């Protein structure tokens, strides 16, 4: 069935699952328990099932935990490689384009954004080889440019998976916006952005966990843009310490 959505906003059940006090309390407790189990090398899927069943979590809540919870040592290692905006001056920035743009689109459309144990901001949107530009897309791209412009980044390269539908249109929009504003951007279609981002020594902008675990350093572009553009965005902070059992 064709995707006719004009926004990348909240799921109908998100107001209950991620706003109601009792659900947020359960989710925070579950996040702490899951981190504790992962820190003791439980298999991620088994640990998530155990915690999800214990707290009777909805499938979207379980997905949220799977995205943002990490073993304490893993979360700390990622945090230590995170850089601040001032670090970008004179540097090359490699952007996981769909990963970062979609998070900004979700925030601008009023969808839920998750802050995890590693500090990265993530969304619950699912993109399976299909990307559809929405009404928030132009504003999201413009917001990225307005945020980066004063930071004097030497060069920004947006990496987009070529096999994803509408990737060419997104690349064209990025190029046109960069040309109009004289921003030092390049939009590149690649077979897969992940191996490129995992292998570069440049600063990377992504919230992808596999990339964060291998990146020399990373910058949470989506979080910074959302904070500067949509200060009232719906952000659920699940950066809670693991449960103490003793």
């Amino acid at each position: 069935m064709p995707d006719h959505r004009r926004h990348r906003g909240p799921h109908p059940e998100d107001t209950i699952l991620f706003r109601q006090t009792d659900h947020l309390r359960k989710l925070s407790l579950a996040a702490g328990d899951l981190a504790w189990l992962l820190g003791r090398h439980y298999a991620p899927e088994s640990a998530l099932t155990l915690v999800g069943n214990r707290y009777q979590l909805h499938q979207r809540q379980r997905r949220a935990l799977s995205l943002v919870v990490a073993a304490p040592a893993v979360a700390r290692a990622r945090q230590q490689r995170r850089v601040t905006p001032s670090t970008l001056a004179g540097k090359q920035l490699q952007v996981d384009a769909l990963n970062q743009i979609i998070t900004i689109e979700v925030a601008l459309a009023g969808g839920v954004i998750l802050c995890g144990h590693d500090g990265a901001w993530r969304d619950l949107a699912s993109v399976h080889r299909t990307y559809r530009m929405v009404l928030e897309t132009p504003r999201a791209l413009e917001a990225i440019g307005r945020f980066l412009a004063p930071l004097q980044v030497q060069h920004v390269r947006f990496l987009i998976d070529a096999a994803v539908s509408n990737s060419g249109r997104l690349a064209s929009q990025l190029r046109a916006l960069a040309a109009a504003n004289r921003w030092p951007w390049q939009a590149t279609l690649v077979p897969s952005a992940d191996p490129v981002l995992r292998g570069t020594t440049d600063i990377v902008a992504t919230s992808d966990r596999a990339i964060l675990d291998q990146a020399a350093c990373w910058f949470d572009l989506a979080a910074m843009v959302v904070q500067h553009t949509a200060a009232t965005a719906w952000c659920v902070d699940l950066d809670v310490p693991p449960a103490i059992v003793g």
Side-chain angles (χ1 to χ4, degrees), residues 33-35 65 68 92 107 164 193 201 203 238-239:
D33 285 358
L34 181 57
L65 292 183
V68 306
Q92 307 266 355
V164 174
T201 57
I203 300 170
L238 291 176
D239 186 9

Side-chain angles (χ1 to χ4, degrees), residues 8 23 35 41-42 67 84 86 121 124 128 153 171 195 202 209 211 214 231 240 243:
R8 218 177 297 282
H23 279 279
H41 309 293
Y42 278 68
L67 291 172
T84 61
S86 62
W121 286 26
L124 283 167
H128 300 291
V153 186
D202 293 331
R209 294 160 294 169
I211 298 172
Q214 295 189 39
V240 295

Side-chain angles (χ1 to χ4, degrees), residues 100-170:
Q100 296 289 278
I101 291 169
I102 289 172
T103 297
I104 299 168
E105 291 172 344
V106 168
L108 293 177
V112 61
I113 300 297
L114 306 163
C115 178
H117 291 177
D118 53 18
W121 286 26
R122 299 178 173 89
D123 59 79
L124 283 167
S126 298
V127 177
H128 300 291
R129 314 305 292 174
T130 300
Y131 170 77
R132 180 182 178 83
M133 283 180 277
V134 291
L135 292 179
E136 291 77 22
T137 304
R139 185 181 170 199
L141 302 185
E142 182 80 20
I144 291 173
R146 298 302 174 197
F147 174 78
L148 289 177
L151 299 181
Q152 300 182 327
V153 186
Q154 182 183 70
H155 184 74
V156 182
R157 184 186 185 203
F158 291 87
L159 294 161
I160 310 170
D161 291 353
V164 174
S165 65
N166 293 312
S167 57
R169 289 183 60 199
L170 178 60

